[in-house]
Amino acid sequence: MPADTNPNGDIFGGWLLSQMDVAGGAHAYQATKLRVVTVAIDALTFHQPVKVGDEVSCYCETVHRGTTSIGVYIETWVRRRDGSASKKVTEGKFTYVAIDGDGKPQKWTDTGVEQ
């Protein structure tokens, strides 16, 4: 939306970052089935601007599984409003940590919560 733009008419990088974080958090939750929080964003690269009217899609892949953490590589692609071919605009690695009800790191395995 126009309210999410910078003076050049491109979408703010912070808005795009938040969309990537939402997608990565949903991916991490599906992998752990636990509440997760973002603890790091590494190597975020903006390749091209996102413009008002672009259709934005985020694609996630698990790249690391620790005892309490999960690393998620996220690529963001856009399809321009004019219908041109999709283009990768942003990529980065996000790290999420599974937490318990008290906000403390929660160990997990591929089969569930570690007891």
Side-chain angles (χ1 to χ4, degrees):
M1 298 301 295
D4 297 317
T5 63
N6 63 28
N8 295 321
D10 300 325
I11 299 297
F12 282 121
W15 179 88
L16 188 56
L17 174 67
S18 70
Q19 300 307 301
M20 294 172 76
D21 194 26
V22 168
H27 179 87
Y29 173 80
Q30 289 301 317
T32 65
K33 301 297 188 224
L34 296 168
R35 180 178 173 197
V36 295
V37 294
T38 309
V39 296
I41 300 172
D42 301 311
L44 187 64
T45 305
F46 294 94
H47 299 288
Q48 294 188 20
V50 176
K51 301 187 178 301
V52 173
D54 285 352
E55 178 184 300
V56 177
S57 300
C58 298
Y59 300 96
C60 303
E61 177 185 357
T62 299
V63 294
H64 166 79
R65 292 176 180 262
T67 56
T68 63
S69 66
I70 182 169
V72 180
Y73 171 73
I74 305 169
E75 286 186 354
T76 302
W77 290 67
V78 297
R79 184 170 54 194
R80 302 289 186 204
R81 191 174 195 173
D82 65 8
S84 59
S86 295
K87 298 178 183 187
K88 180 167 62 170
V89 294
T90 310
E91 63 185 314
K93 182 182 172 232
F94 290 57
T95 302
Y96 300 89
V97 168
I99 59 172
D100 64 17
D102 295 323
K104 295 181 180 170
Q106 173 71 58
K107 289 186 179 181
W108 65 281
T109 66
D110 287 341
T111 58
V113 176
E114 187 175 281
Q115 298 297 324

